[in-house]
Amino acid sequence: MTAYEPPGDPGAGPGPAPGPGPAGYDAVVLAGGAARRLGGADKPGLRVGGRALLDRVLAACAGARTTVVVAGPRPTARPVTWAREDPPGGGPLAALAAGLRHTTAEYVVVLSADLPFLGEPTVARLLSALAAGEADGVLLTDADGRDQPLVAAYRASALRRELAAPAGEEGTELTGLPLRRLTGALRLARVPDAVASFDCDTWDDIATARARIREHGHVLDEWISAAKDELGIDLDVDTGLLLDLARDAAHGVARPAAPLTTFLVGYAAGRAGGGPEAVAEAARKAAALAQRWADEATDARPDA
């Protein structure tokens, strides 16, 4: 378990976020652990906020050119490349080597599959810090200052170099070797983030994660993200605009008009080709109609 501190958003860090990371990167997600502290449960498939932990991590690295998941294949919200260490269950170092074989980018983001609060801003921060410096990798540290090497961005060449070293030693294999065998040989920079580094090793961790996303400041964004994944929608829209439209329709027309109007806006935007601009234009027209409707009600009053 990684210590969890509620304040702040994932990826907030101690200061302003750097600019966007490198345009091209690959991601390797390690999802084949035994989950002994969860009684052998299928940890990547456990749901937090209605979404599997693995799908939440895949959403955070959606910008990757290639995403490799090292585990047995399963349905996922996003397309991925599957890989497996040989033999299965050979540990994180062997799993990383198996995933890295499918990557070609200069930078590789390496993640575990149990990070419920990881988001794209954190991934961008790691990549930006890596590109701006000379380190072999940039990783998160948790609330206690501990390194989290499975929430990190690395130079692929450095990973391949150090993974080849133990494999080349006589009688030495990667199977069973700890991850620190790799990270101890790398030049690493660190970014503190107590929220994004939170991982789920126990049922208490799962309960904590599920409770946090239902807090007032997070629940709407979490619900929208879960709904988009469930519906297969990859579209960022101005939710404030839609909420204002729903409010105007409810107040100016009738309460049931709010959900029906937002549905019609979505349908109209889809027929217009989709995209944020189509949603905004349909919402603008509906909002203007709701305003005219409300104005007519005001004009009809005897004292108007």
Side-chain angles (χ1 to χ4, degrees):
M1 170 184 170
T2 299
Y4 166 67
E5 291 182 350
D9 293 323
Y25 75 94
D26 292 333
V28 175
V29 181
L30 306 188
R36 293 184 180 87
R37 297 173 67 185
L38 285 165
D42 175 24
K43 182 160 66 169
L46 293 177
R47 296 186 179 275
V48 173
R51 291 190 291 164
L53 283 172
L54 176 56
D55 282 336
R56 298 178 73 90
V57 173
L58 294 179
C61 58
R65 296 190 314 191
T66 299
T67 299
V68 185
V69 179
V70 186
R74 66 171 69 223
T76 54
R78 296 178 181 274
V80 302
T81 299
W82 296 98
R84 202 71 167 115
E85 70 275 26
D86 185 19
L93 211 58
L96 176 57
L100 198 63
R101 294 188 192 105
H102 298 271
T103 67
T104 58
E106 178 183 1
Y107 302 104
V108 178
V109 172
V110 178
L111 306 168
S112 62
D114 61 350
L115 302 164
F117 306 140
L118 183 68
E120 287 188 273
T122 304
V123 172
R125 173 175 288 104
L126 291 169
L127 289 164
S128 295
L130 181 62
E134 298 182 354
D136 295 322
V138 179
L139 50 77
L140 291 191
T141 57
D142 64 18
D144 298 321
R146 293 175 297 193
D147 287 353
Q148 300 299 316
L150 295 184
V151 200
Y154 298 97
R155 298 184 192 277
S157 58
L159 290 181
R160 292 191 173 95
R161 180 190 70 230
E162 297 304 328
L163 284 168
E169 297 173 7
E170 186 175 353
T172 301
E173 297 180 352
L174 296 177
T175 299
L177 293 182
L179 199 58
R180 63 178 177 273
R181 179 73 175 264
L182 170 74
T183 57
L186 297 175
R187 297 172 301 163
L188 298 176
R190 291 158 176 85
V191 175
D193 193 323
V195 179
S197 63
F198 179 85
D199 54 5
C200 293
D201 290 331
T202 68
W203 289 112
D204 284 344
D205 297 340
I206 294 291
T208 297
R210 288 172 172 171
R212 179 186 185 269
I213 64 169
R214 285 170 172 76
E215 294 172 0
H216 177 70
H218 305 284
V219 65
L220 184 58
D221 287 342
E222 289 288 349
W223 167 251
I224 293 298
S225 295
K228 288 196 296 186
D229 269 5
E230 191 72 16
L231 298 173
I233 299 172
D234 188 12
L235 176 67
D236 290 325
V237 297
D238 186 345
T239 54
L241 181 70
L242 295 177
L243 289 173
D244 287 345
L245 169 62
R247 179 201 61 205
D248 292 344
H251 291 171
V253 184
R255 189 173 298 275
L260 294 173
T261 302
T262 52
F263 164 77
L264 292 173
V265 163
Y267 183 74
R271 293 194 62 183
E277 297 81 5
V279 174
E281 177 61 15
R284 183 193 63 78
K285 291 180 178 179
L289 174 61
Q291 185 61 53
R292 295 197 301 271
W293 190 287
D295 289 345
E296 288 181 9
T298 302
D299 291 342
R301 293 204 311 264
D303 59 346

